[in-house]
Amino acid sequence: MYNPQLETFIVVADEGSFSKAAEKLYISPTAIIKQINSLEDSIGIILFNRTHRGIILTKAGESIYHDAKYIIQYTKDSIERAKQAEGKHKYLIRVGTSITTPSQCILDLLPQIHKSNSALKFRFISFENTPENAREILQNLGENIDVVAGIYSPHLLKRHHCQAYQLYEENLCIGLSIDHPLAQKEYLEIEDLFGQNLLMIRRGWSEIFDRLRDDLLEYRDIQIEDFTFYNLEIFNRCETSQSLIVACQHWKNAHPLLKIIPVRWNYATPFGIMYSPHPSYQVKELIKILENAKENIK
């Protein structure tokens, strides 16, 4: 369904060397080079610049690299959907996971889920946290990914045409570098934010974040800097710039050099399972189990 040489291409790009890719794939460097040459000939694009220092992706190669991972995963998912349509894996739920949509809450609930319905099975699918991927996944829940766990708002659900089952409310916190002077505190006060540069998601992303922004603008001593999307890049920026960032506790493992600290304020956002407006049988079964076990969550 797709050219299997794409997988070899990805390994070569990741390793930056034909010989290292050969070692990883347990085939000869000559075989690797033949596959890449064949792939380049078949698509009419030069993927690598060969130099005496090694190989480097061309601009076209970089474009193919990013799309190839999606093509491979999409093909695997399409086979999975075909098996489900045939009746196989009838009880399989595919859970999307990224640095801001961690699947730990699902893992924590597995004993309760299996106790209620041992037939339900889960497959965890990691995806790169980009605005494009997030939009694609949320607007097409049920196709390649069935559910995603994370914070949400009514505006987000409406914008992406999906629905959610709320597990609990998660208090908004502050993320900062482990080397920041405030990192020694267990709790922060509003006054601790005075004189700080605070990174906040752009207006319109979430109603509760917008309300927090409006309230913080009452304090002239807090400098608010906008960003467009939560991903590893913005967490890196927070850490290196010694800025603060509005975050959630379940992102505590998103970046090893950041610490998430609660704040003494009353701002909380819904956290739950997002799924298609037309859920499959297995997703309906999951939601039913969550409803029955809600009192034991968190």
Side-chain angles (χ1 to χ4, degrees):
M1 296 179 69
Y2 68 91
N3 191 330
Q5 293 167 342
L6 284 174
E7 293 185 310
T8 301
F9 161 68
I10 287 174
V11 175
V12 172
D14 288 341
E15 297 298 320
S17 163
F18 291 128
S19 58
K20 290 181 180 179
E23 291 177 6
K24 191 165 186 177
L25 295 173
Y26 301 101
I27 58 178
S28 70
T30 301
I32 292 285
I33 294 172
K34 284 184 177 179
Q35 286 193 47
I36 296 301
N37 288 341
S38 175
L39 178 60
E40 289 180 327
D41 289 342
S42 67
I43 63 178
I45 294 174
I46 300 300
L47 300 171
F48 295 100
N49 287 322
R50 282 79 161 172
T51 72
H52 65 283
R53 294 184 177 179
I55 57 173
I56 303 173
L57 281 170
T58 62
K59 290 293 184 183
E62 290 179 1
S63 177
I64 293 291
Y65 175 81
H66 291 297
D67 291 338
K69 290 187 174 182
Y70 176 81
I71 292 169
I72 292 170
Q73 186 60 54
Y74 187 86
T75 300
K76 291 178 179 178
D77 289 340
S78 70
I79 294 172
E80 193 62 54
R81 288 195 299 273
K83 288 180 179 179
Q84 289 197 33
E86 192 180 42
K88 298 178 181 179
H89 296 167
K90 179 181 178 182
Y91 299 99
L92 179 66
I93 298 176
R94 298 158 299 174
V95 182
T97 179
S98 72
I99 63 170
T100 58
T101 57
S103 55
Q104 188 60 46
C105 72
I106 298 290
L107 294 173
D108 292 341
L109 292 168
L110 281 183
Q112 296 179 56
I113 295 171
H114 287 159
K115 184 178 179 180
S116 300
N117 188 336
S118 60
L120 287 182
K121 305 298 180 184
F122 293 86
R123 173 172 297 165
F124 296 92
I125 301 174
S126 177
F127 62 90
E128 186 180 357
N129 206 47
T130 67
E132 295 76 19
N133 282 350
R135 181 170 55 251
E136 175 74 16
I137 289 167
L138 290 178
Q139 290 181 351
N140 295 282
L141 285 170
E143 294 189 9
N144 302 317
I145 289 175
D146 297 306
V147 300
V148 174
I151 63 173
Y152 62 89
S153 69
H155 178 68
L156 181 144
L157 298 179
K158 182 178 180 180
R159 184 169 69 245
H160 294 300
H161 308 291
C162 57
Q163 58 182 327
Y165 178 75
Q166 181 175 328
L167 296 175
Y168 52 83
E169 283 198 333
E170 177 145 332
N171 293 325
L172 299 187
C173 303
I174 290 294
L176 43 73
S177 169
I178 57 175
D179 295 324
H180 195 285
L182 294 175
Q184 305 306 315
K185 296 196 169 208
E186 292 187 11
Y187 286 90
L188 296 179
E189 308 288 346
I190 289 285
E191 291 76 14
D192 290 319
L193 309 186
F194 291 176
Q196 302 291 336
N197 187 60
L198 179 63
L199 300 173
M200 287 201 71
I201 190 72
R202 59 173 173 77
R203 189 178 291 278
W205 188 76
S206 164
E207 295 91 331
I208 186 63
F209 283 74
D210 288 349
R211 182 161 65 85
L212 172 59
R213 172 193 290 270
D214 290 337
D215 291 345
L216 291 179
L217 286 174
E218 298 293 326
Y219 301 94
R220 296 183 179 179
D221 294 329
I222 302 175
Q223 176 65 42
I224 296 178
E225 181 180 347
D226 289 355
F227 64 90
T228 59
F229 194 75
Y230 279 104
N231 55 18
L232 188 57
E233 180 182 349
I234 194 61
F235 290 138
N236 280 331
R237 183 167 139 203
C238 173
E239 195 278 325
T240 57
S241 68
Q242 290 290 296
S243 296
L244 310 184
I245 188 170
V246 177
C248 295
Q249 192 61 243
H250 75 271
W251 295 342
K252 61 184 179 181
N253 297 319
H255 194 292
L257 298 180
L258 289 184
K259 181 179 180 181
I260 308 297
I261 304 179
V263 186
R264 296 188 194 278
W265 58 22
N266 295 314
Y267 300 94
T269 183
F271 179 96
I273 305 295
M274 288 170 277
Y275 56 98
S276 167
H278 308 290
S280 62
Y281 161 80
Q282 55 267 38
V283 172
K284 289 180 180 178
E285 186 66 16
L286 172 63
I287 300 303
K288 186 191 304 181
I289 293 171
L290 294 178
E291 289 175 344
N292 294 333
K294 190 170 183 178
E295 63 274 12
N296 298 319
I297 297 172
K298 198 181 179 184

